[in-house]
Amino acid sequence: MTATEARATQDPDSHRALVELDHVSKYYGNVKALQDVSLEVHAGEISCVLGDNGAGKSTLIKIISGLHRHDAGTFRIEGEDTHLANPRDALDRGIATVYQDLAVVPLMPVWRNFFLGSEPTKGKGPFKRLDVAAMRETTRSALLRMGIDLRDVDQPIGTLSGGERQCVAIARAVHFGAKVLVLDEPTAALGVKQSGVVLKYVAAARDAGLGVVLITHNPHHAYLVGDRFVLLKRGAMSAAHTKDSVTLDELTRQMAGGSELEELSHELERSPGPDLLGGRTAGDDTP
């Protein structure tokens, strides 16, 4: 039994599509940024979107997060056809997006960034003020529930490593009730060890029942945690797989270009070619 099947057995709703894109397209004038792209995001699963720069990953993120509207196709949230008006609308519908730059204030403490834009208050009228004690305690407990044990939630978030900042952003989305978590290249600027830490918390979000969209150009990272894979190339889908229908080697081959890469390797093979050294060998300085 696969991990996906095990989660489905434990929770029958895990196969309910939280978000579904059906042949979605997006145009900027005459430019086709996305063309007939389909994607399913299920509770308790990770759907990976892979592609090189310019493949359409950023446009896909903007549609799911409510920043841009799609021009064709169908976008459904929990079975309901929808057009998101803006990112706040997406948040209200349970879709949280963690961008690569994280949008944090480096000099503010971890707890302040955790509640940025959603600060609880106490008191009334002129005595109304931020509930700092509650924010500190809630941040600490929310991070611990995700298995993140920071030294001090009062330290500036800019002093954390890139992996730790990603983990705080994931824990924040889980705490504020996200149903779908969209992660934009969370391991792109991280080393091997920090990437592993982030992937562990991505899996923790999945196990907490969220539907996760992992945007990445790294097939090895995607295959470690992914349940579904969509490959984009120049704005169009080049392939779609489930975990049990593709191997890592095949996913990597398709991501790298497949037949195009094989054709390039033949072109780059050594051939006799012209004698550019006039009969001399490289490094021979004899006149």
Side-chain angles (χ1 to χ4, degrees):
M1 179 181 291
T2 65
T4 301
E5 291 170 341
R7 289 191 297 275
T9 301
Q10 296 168 359
D11 181 7
D13 287 338
S14 64
H15 275 274
R16 174 170 53 90
L18 297 175
V19 167
E20 184 179 2
L21 278 68
D22 187 10
H23 297 285
V24 163
S25 300
K26 177 66 182 176
Y27 310 113
Y28 297 101
N30 293 327
V31 178
K32 297 179 180 179
L34 280 183
Q35 183 70 33
D36 290 331
V37 173
S38 297
L39 174 71
E40 292 183 8
V41 184
H42 293 260
E45 290 187 1
I46 298 175
S47 297
C48 300
V49 179
L50 299 102
D52 287 328
N53 293 336
K57 302 192 302 295
S58 295
T59 302
L60 187 65
I61 291 174
K62 290 172 182 176
I63 291 173
I64 298 175
S65 64
L67 191 61
H68 289 172
R69 287 193 174 197
H70 57 288
D71 296 316
T74 306
F75 179 18
R76 301 186 187 93
I77 298 179
E78 296 187 277
E80 179 185 347
D81 290 4
T82 188
H83 283 79
L84 294 174
N86 49 53
R88 173 54 63 179
D89 192 14
L91 278 172
D92 292 342
R93 300 290 296 272
I95 300 174
T97 304
V98 178
Y99 292 99
Q100 196 170 341
D101 57 12
L102 295 180
V104 298
V105 184
L107 296 180
M108 283 186 176
V110 173
W111 62 264
R112 190 71 173 83
N113 276 278
F114 193 89
F115 280 93
L116 200 60
S118 304
E119 296 86 349
T121 58
K122 61 181 179 180
K124 297 181 179 179
F127 301 103
K128 189 175 183 179
R129 60 198 184 279
L130 295 178
D131 193 345
V132 175
M135 284 191 280
R136 282 196 180 106
E137 180 55 35
T138 301
T139 300
R140 187 177 292 107
S141 60
L143 293 176
L144 282 174
R145 279 197 300 272
M146 288 289 292
I148 306 169
D149 188 9
L150 290 183
R151 294 177 295 277
D152 183 8
V153 295
D154 281 301
Q155 68 187 104
I157 199 168
T159 63
L160 302 181
S161 67
E164 288 174 325
R165 290 196 297 272
Q166 287 282 355
C167 295
V168 169
I170 293 170
R172 182 184 190 276
V174 173
H175 173 74
F176 282 100
K179 297 179 181 178
V180 175
L181 180 61
V182 184
L183 299 169
D184 176 22
E185 299 275 9
T187 61
L190 304 180
V192 175
K193 185 175 181 180
Q194 287 193 28
S195 294
V197 171
V198 171
L199 291 175
K200 183 174 77 171
Y201 293 117
V202 171
R206 172 201 65 198
D207 294 340
L210 277 71
V212 180
V213 181
L214 177 62
I215 311 294
T216 182
H217 63 270
N218 191 316
H220 292 81
H221 291 170
Y223 201 79
L224 277 173
V225 296
D227 298 290
R228 301 170 186 269
F229 309 96
V230 169
L231 278 70
L232 298 182
K233 181 180 178 182
R234 298 175 185 172
M237 286 178 62
S238 60
H241 304 285
T242 56
K243 183 69 167 281
D244 57 2
S245 68
V246 68
T247 64
L248 173 58
D249 288 344
E250 178 61 19
L251 188 67
T252 303
R253 190 189 73 82
Q254 293 183 14
M255 175 69 185
S259 59
E260 293 181 5
L261 192 64
E262 292 173 5
E263 183 178 338
L264 178 62
S265 67
H266 290 308
E267 292 179 6
L268 296 177
E269 285 180 358
R270 290 181 179 272
S271 58
D275 184 2
L276 301 180
L277 297 177
R280 289 177 293 160
T281 59
D284 184 1
D285 295 330
T286 304

